[in-house]
Amino acid sequence: MLTFTIRRLLFAIPTLLFISLAIFLLLELAPGDPMANVPLTVPAEVKEQMRQALGLGEPVPVRFWKWLVQFFWVEPLNIFDHMFGTNFAEGKLRIISWQNRAPVFITIAERIPQTLWVVGTSYVVAILIAIPVGIYSAYKQYSVFDQAGTFVTMIGFSVPPFFSGVLVIIIFAVQLKWFPSIYDTRHVVSDWDSFLVQVRQMFLPVMVLALQITSQLSRFMRASMLDNLNQDYVRTARAKGLREKSVVLIHVLRNSMIPVVTVIALGVPAIFGGAIITEQVFKVNGIGQLLITAIQANDLPMVQTLTFIFAVLIVLFNLIADVLYGILDPRIRYD
Amino acid sequence: MTTKAALLSAAASFVLAPLAHADGHEGERGRDGQVNIIYWQAPSTMNPFLSGGTKDVEAGSLVVEPLARFDETGTIQPWLVDEIPTVENGGVSEDLTQITWKISEGITWSDGTPFTSADVQFTYEYCTHPEGGCAQATKFEGIESVETPDDLTVVVTFADPKPYPYTAFVGGESPILQKAQFESCVGAAASSCTEQNFNPIGTGPFVVDEFRTNDVISLSANPNFRFEGKPAFATVNFKGGGDAEAAGRAVMQTGEFDYAWNLQLAPEVIAQMEAGGLGTPVAGFGPLVERLMLNNTNPDPALGPDERSVVRPHPFLSDPAVYEAMSMAIDRPLLVEIGYGQAGKVTCNWVPAPEVYSSTSMTCDVQDLEGAKAKLEEAGWVDENGDGVREKDGVELRMLYQTSTNAVRQDFQQLIKEWWEEIGFAVELRNVSGSVFFGGDAGSPDTFQKFYADVEMYANTFNGTDPQAYLGNGLCDKAPRPETQWQGENISRFCDEEYDALWAELAKTSGTDARAEIAKQLNDMIVQRGGMIPLVHRGRLSAHANTLGGVELNVWDSELWNIADWYRIAE
Amino acid sequence: MTDARDADTPVGAEIETVAGSAAVMGGEPVLATRARSQWWDVWDQFRTHKGAMVGAGIFLAILALVVLGPLFVEMENGIKSNMRARNQPMSLEYPLGTDRLGRDLFARMIAGGRVSLAVGLAAMALSLLLGTLIGVLAGYFKRLDGPLMRLTDLFLALPLLPLLLVMVLLFREPLTAAFGIEVGIFILIVSAIGITSWMQTARIVRGDVLALKEREFVLAARSIGTPARRIVTRHVLPNVLSPIMVSATLGIATAIITESALSFLGLGFPPDFPTWGRLLNDGVPFLELYPGRAFWPGLAISLVVLSINYVGDGLRDALDPRIRGR
């Protein structure tokens, strides 16, 4: 398993380089213009000058190379400088956003806290709810609990957040006035009271997001449990006189986790990626909102950097999932 | 700490100062706590020279100020100067090539240093540097030099006589930057000046405490602001992002915010939000016009990408009977009612405002489907083969009608398509994402400049109150074509020698009345000769909380132009 | 275990299939006579699944309404504006009321349902096909695992919006020229959604296949020289059916919603073409004034997803011989 992990990690490097090139070319090819949001009153020549100032005049390979150097050399140096107070990166050009001409990593660092708070919490809440619900639904298949669970999860999945988000805002923020409708990203949690304020402002977005994630996860959990509950080994375990609890929660659960691990592993990078629509509806202004505004503004350096970080996380977590498969089911061999 | 001390001293000096306006809401600086503003498009920078987006210009206007501004009626007002230079008061030279600004005495930057003519001169150099990519470069067009005979005098010399010299350093798009702060940010270095671009030092009522790009800006009152007792608010929370509905809701229904900008929402939604009772919508009208551009060239896909929308004429839109009938078939009052409500007016003009420039020679507020049909019949457009589409000499009236994605525009498309089909056209609709449609990407076939369609709808406007440059968008050589990388403002590719000649005359004429006369003729010419069909004169609709006083919606400058005078109405 | 299922025990227990065990789980039958009996068994089992029958009933009802609706409803009312009937409440003439241009919402729901169901089902099918194919190939054939999974990583990483924009840019004109505007855009949208949504299915299927191929029955089949193709179709595929079914139900909802996002960006059907996703989208701003406008399309999407989910449940149970016997 160790050699497998090391081999995969080494192989990840060319993969990621290729992915970054693919993303770059895709963004190049996509129609759009960083000047699209500049008012029509600004004439074409001025817009052209602004494009030149952004470095758009240079050929594609040069720009790609510059981005690679900035991402893999200048930015790490900057982080090093930031941590140890050194000056290695001084004078080197960082990755600059086209929207505001500021280094993209400054903006990303500003956005991470609220995304982790909101999207991260939703994932934790969703996993904590979905796994027990999935297990119990499968164990008591077609019971009232299972039916109700199915109904709620399916509604939860089929109603998109641009609808459910606005709905909960109207009910809980406008009518009942229990929660704020707009997230304050400046809020700092320092004591119990400010923590309560934070919980209050997080409640609606977390609820909307967690419902959606729970729906998905619990469906996979339930289906996989159902598959395993009828296996011969379960009968054998019961016949051996094992307690029902340990049969279900140890033997069956462990064997049912493979699809769930896959879904969770695909979901963790999504925590970083944020939840585009939910963040917009609740004005959380996290990474998801950053990505979508960057795409809309054709801010290619920002989109490229965010998507690439996202790609690194995807490759990494898919590797972790593969390793976990081997632990969950020792029969799985990669060598 | 320093802010607090400064505030205290300001308050102390206020006690001694006489009250300038005693209308009941005076007091010490920062007495009203925090004002919360929400812009559903989030500002990405505080430096208007680097972005040009309205959101950025308006956010910047809290901090940096121009020498003169336009007020809510569109009249130019001295801001950092004593008076507006004119030929009469000697501020503008007789030959119209020089304008001299006299900076008011005693103005300081928020860091306490004096505001001088060197800063004004520096701003000119900053924006005109060829590598800087300044978004407001047109403001400085035609300037030969900016000189500073003394600390409070700025002399701007133009290469040619400039009948309308109030472009540079006037209005929210052209504020003054501090030389000391931005000195190292000229040209290509503009990008490396994140700190400066996010936290500019200004003369305005507020200073930036924290700037989070595309998210939120925290500001506090400028301790060195030149008016005592202003601003009334100690801090500003300027939130960005989301959508217009949420912004309107936060002001008018939940009361979380005090001011929401540019609420492009259906009239019934606005009415229902207003019923929330916490806020009031306010509308103001600039020269923004929603119009249909008529393609004067042939957009036939068979022509290939470099001939398409380049070769003249259009197969049928060049016939006056056709475009006149198209205009007659439109029920503009209904469009206004459905799409914009109190934020829209019927217009037949390309330049509907300011009042003096607005032509009154045309009317178009009554739909006339029968008249339109008769007009087409008369011109020989008849449906001979019975497929419901009129034709003449083998050319059928089939059109592709495109616009950007936007709920109101899609409703308009639907209605106008029905009216045109009623009078014998066949119309195919298309909507394109705004970021592609308004982007100048020469590689995309879907931009509004390429105009690979017969008719397209969007809105355009001009800054300030003088339409000369805007009317220049109808000149032949401004048509987008392959040689210009599809850039250019003459979207309809309207081309008329008479128009070009008349515009050249406008550029030489001075005196508002004479200029207005020519401008009106140009306006009528382009509308009557098939350049466009104006639909709706659109206003800006914003909303403020009922507890927020002093709001004067200004469409000629930044909406936040008078935030120093805003105050909290005691409940 | 049995206690939970006693109520569902079918009346006629099929002895034959219980004896058949793992070797005949699903897959295509070899003998015509066996085929008949096996598919009958599946149907019998399916029929006893109440949820599945109700789900199938609802789905067929929606399908019938959408297909046959134009026979009873004046479809023109959903397309043409009618200024005299703007924002009407529910009435006999307008069963679901009218929108702000006076168009009959019921007729629009029917017209939208045709598009949304067609797009949803076709895109889901395409994405399942791709996902299952890639997942099974990667999981079963070791040599293909690396390349195919890196491809999956790539597709997971690519930003969706620019990818769709590029697809539209490249293929919109040729497709509409070749097939006409409606069919051309239909193909474009279905392939755009299908191509951008198969990755999760592929990862899940692969994970299951990796475990399955080490199971005793697969080893047994391999040891008697069964060709790989037959092992995959007869032994592996039927056992990954349940995650595929879940992906299918989740996929159809995603496809319907994604379609609305596409048309919102101007990448989908022309703006005068209603779809459920677009109706829902347009209705959201009026949620407080006219809740029905968002509620009905939302309900329609949920109903379709729910019914397909139950059908999927029933199908999965019916295809599992171990359950079928009891």
Side-chain angles (χ1 to χ4, degrees), chain B residues 421-484:
Chain B
E421 293 198 327
E422 169 107 28
I423 62 168
F425 286 80
V427 184
E428 184 194 321
L429 300 183
R430 176 115 204 261
N431 63 323
V432 182
S433 163
S435 66
V436 174
F437 190 65
F438 294 115
D441 187 346
S444 166
D446 295 327
T447 64
F448 81 114
Q449 290 105 328
K450 278 226 173 139
F451 205 168
Y452 283 174
D454 302 283
V455 179
E456 67 185 6
M457 178 169 69
Y458 61 90
N460 199 356
T461 185
F462 57 93
N463 293 326
T465 54
D466 185 78
Q468 179 184 325
Y470 185 57
L471 287 165
N473 292 352
L475 299 175
C476 287
D477 65 345
K478 296 242 177 162
R481 48 192 187 273
E483 306 92 90
T484 63

Side-chain angles (χ1 to χ4, degrees), chain A residues 8-86:
Chain A
R8 275 281 299 271
L9 276 175
L10 285 177
F11 195 66
I13 295 167
T15 311
L16 282 172
L17 283 177
F18 180 74
I19 290 180
S20 71
L21 178 66
I23 296 172
F24 193 86
L25 292 178
L26 176 75
L27 294 178
E28 274 310 307
L29 202 57
D33 175 16
M35 297 295 119
N37 293 332
V38 172
L40 300 181
T41 47
V42 174
E45 307 87 71
V46 175
K47 285 187 187 168
E48 188 50 38
Q49 275 180 12
M50 290 170 75
R51 275 187 213 109
Q52 297 298 329
L54 298 177
L56 261 168
E58 291 178 56
V60 173
V62 174
R63 278 190 285 141
F64 181 60
W65 175 247
K66 277 194 171 170
W67 180 84
L68 278 183
V69 171
Q70 286 165 351
F71 189 91
F72 289 103
W73 180 241
V74 182
E75 293 296 342
L77 275 186
N78 264 294
I79 293 170
F80 187 83
D81 284 358
H82 188 75
M83 287 166 77
F84 301 102
T86 49

Side-chain angles (χ1 to χ4, degrees), chain B residues 63 93 122-123 145-146 181 183 200 220 354 372 376 430 492 508 539:
Chain B
V63 175
S93 69
F122 169 76
T123 303
S145 69
V146 175
Q181 190 189 19
E183 214 155 17
S220 57
L376 288 171
R430 176 115 204 261
S492 60
K508 283 185 292 215

Side-chain angles (χ1 to χ4, degrees), chain A residues 10-299:
Chain A
L10 285 177
F11 195 66
I13 295 167
T15 311
L16 282 172
L17 283 177
F18 180 74
I19 290 180
S20 71
L21 178 66
I23 296 172
F24 193 86
L25 292 178
L26 176 75
L27 294 178
E28 274 310 307
L29 202 57
D33 175 16
M35 297 295 119
N37 293 332
V38 172
L40 300 181
T41 47
V42 174
E45 307 87 71
V46 175
K47 285 187 187 168
E48 188 50 38
Q49 275 180 12
M50 290 170 75
R51 275 187 213 109
Q52 297 298 329
L54 298 177
L56 261 168
E58 291 178 56
V60 173
V62 174
R63 278 190 285 141
F64 181 60
W65 175 247
K66 277 194 171 170
W67 180 84
L68 278 183
V69 171
Q70 286 165 351
F71 189 91
F72 289 103
W73 180 241
V74 182
E75 293 296 342
L77 275 186
N78 264 294
I79 293 170
F80 187 83
D81 284 358
H82 188 75
M83 287 166 77
F84 301 102
T86 49
N87 290 318
F88 291 119
E90 221 173 62
K92 294 192 174 66
L93 195 61
R94 304 180 62 177
I95 306 174
I96 300 288
S97 152
W98 286 352
Q99 283 176 88
N100 50 28
R101 310 233 196 145
V104 296
F105 276 93
I106 291 185
T107 316
I108 294 175
E110 272 172 10
R111 297 306 180 92
I112 285 179
Q114 50 263 38
T115 291
L116 287 186
W117 268 109
V118 173
V119 189
T121 314
S122 322
Y123 259 89
V124 174
V125 169
I127 291 172
L128 288 180
I129 297 176
I131 290 182
V133 166
I135 295 172
Y136 195 72
S137 293
Y139 189 64
K140 298 272 183 200
Q141 196 190 8
Y142 303 131
S143 63
V144 176
F145 180 85
D146 180 32
Q147 302 287 13
T150 304
F151 191 77
V152 172
T153 51
M154 281 299 131
I155 300 278
F157 197 81
S158 58
V159 177
F162 67 77
F163 174 59
S164 51
V166 175
L167 189 70
V168 298
I169 285 183
I170 287 176
I171 295 174
F172 295 107
V174 176
Q175 303 293 343
L176 299 172
K177 300 200 193 301
W178 288 353
F179 302 102
S181 73
I182 288 171
Y183 188 95
D184 182 6
T185 48
R186 300 180 307 166
H187 183 73
V188 183
V189 178
S190 55
D191 52 16
W192 179 248
D193 284 341
S194 62
F195 177 73
L196 286 183
V197 172
Q198 175 68 15
V199 169
R200 237 165 66 90
Q201 70 169 345
M202 274 168 54
F203 190 84
L204 293 181
V206 167
M207 189 168 97
V208 166
L209 260 183
L211 176 64
Q212 192 148 41
I213 304 164
T214 308
S215 306
Q216 201 187 3
L217 269 181
S218 67
R219 294 317 292 172
F220 280 111
M221 189 73 234
R222 174 180 178 275
S224 184
M225 284 292 287
L226 278 178
D227 272 359
N228 278 288
L229 276 170
N230 298 307
Q231 297 289 347
D232 297 337
Y233 72 82
V234 180
R235 203 178 309 156
T236 315
R238 286 207 181 104
K240 273 201 318 192
L242 280 179
R243 281 188 306 137
E244 190 66 10
K245 207 172 181 178
S246 66
V247 172
V248 176
L249 290 184
I250 296 174
H251 296 264
V252 181
L253 182 61
R254 179 170 170 170
N255 281 292
S256 310
M257 282 304 280
I258 286 182
V260 181
V261 163
T262 315
V263 177
I264 295 177
L266 290 178
V268 174
I271 296 179
F272 171 78
I276 291 176
I277 296 172
T278 313
E279 285 190 3
Q280 281 221 315
V281 169
F282 293 94
K283 267 64 67 185
V284 175
N285 292 355
I287 300 276
Q289 189 260 3
L290 182 65
L291 180 65
I292 192 75
T293 45
I295 287 176
Q296 278 162 357
N298 271 289
D299 182 358

Side-chain angles (χ1 to χ4, degrees), chain B residues 338 405 411 414 417-418, chain C residues 79 81 86 100 264-265 272:
Chain B
I338 286 180
T405 305
D411 284 351
Q414 164 86 31
K417 172 184 165 146
E418 282 174 21
Chain C
I79 299 164
S81 65
R86 291 174 56 199
R100 51 198 300 258
F264 186 71
L265 287 166
D272 48 346

Side-chain angles (χ1 to χ4, degrees), chain C residues 24 60 95 122 160-161 166 187 216 252:
Chain C
V24 284
L60 288 176
L160 191 61
L161 279 179
V166 168
I187 295 176
E216 297 78 2
I252 193 161

